[in-house]
Amino acid sequence: MTRKDQILFYLSSSLHPICDDCLAEITYCSTRQEANHICRKLSERNLISRNKGYCNRCKRNKIINQIRSVNPIINQNSLQKKDSPDPSFLSINESEYIFSNIVYSWHPIQADTNSIYQFPNSMTPYMKSLYKLPTIYRWVIQFQDKKYLYYIAETEKLCPNRLGSYLNPGPSQETNKRLHILFLDYLRKGCHIRLDYLKFAPFTLNSYQISQESLKNANLRRMIEHLIIYHYENQGVSLLNR
Ligand SMILES: [Zn+2]
């Protein structure tokens, strides 16, 4: 990883904007000038923003660096929010992230064209026709106080196979049985449970062109799944994965 990649990676996974001095320390730049030089270049390329503000790490007011969001995906999400029958379901503001150069967003599984699927409803024909693909998905448990719990996983075929095994887990499907019981318990506590799938913009990894199509490969699905779990853990997000 080059210093520039390290800086981009740090900024893309950080919750707070950060100053050049702190970035230089974190990414082991030889000098503050090196971090400053790289950040100005990234800002010229519009990959990050540089504004006066508060650096959460050194607690001083300085020029701080922040990754830029990717507009097309944000627009897509805000459109979806308007059309959604239950906007409270989509109120999570962490539905888009940049991972170095991996841009992804989560989208709720729909039961039909205008409603979101909710556990433990049965699968609709709409779902069986639309979601029979290799997928990275997350269960979202929404508590009444707007807190969330997630379970992130991947599958070769979301509908009907994988979702079916959550609805009616077989005797040997330990994880699905555990989650099925947990989910029913959360429902009794007044939670809502929905299912999201992951979309990402095509990206290059070494010489590989990775697109949504590439999820046919189980190793690639697991790599992206694990990268996201790693990221959530680093952000302190509550996960049911163990
Ligand atoms: Zn600082």
Side-chain angles (χ1 to χ4, degrees), residues 203-220:
F203 63 94
T204 309
L205 193 66
N206 294 343
S207 58
Y208 303 113
Q209 292 294 322
I210 315 280
S211 68
Q212 207 77 24
E213 271 283 287
S214 320
L215 292 184
K216 281 187 283 197
N217 182 292
N219 288 322
L220 193 83

Side-chain angles (χ1 to χ4, degrees), residues 18-23 55-60 62 64:
I18 186 170
C19 73
D20 293 347
D21 293 285
C22 289
L23 257 185
C55 175
N56 221 56
R57 188 168 177 273
C58 61
K59 316 285 179 207
R60 283 154 65 190
K62 302 166 92 167
I64 47 172

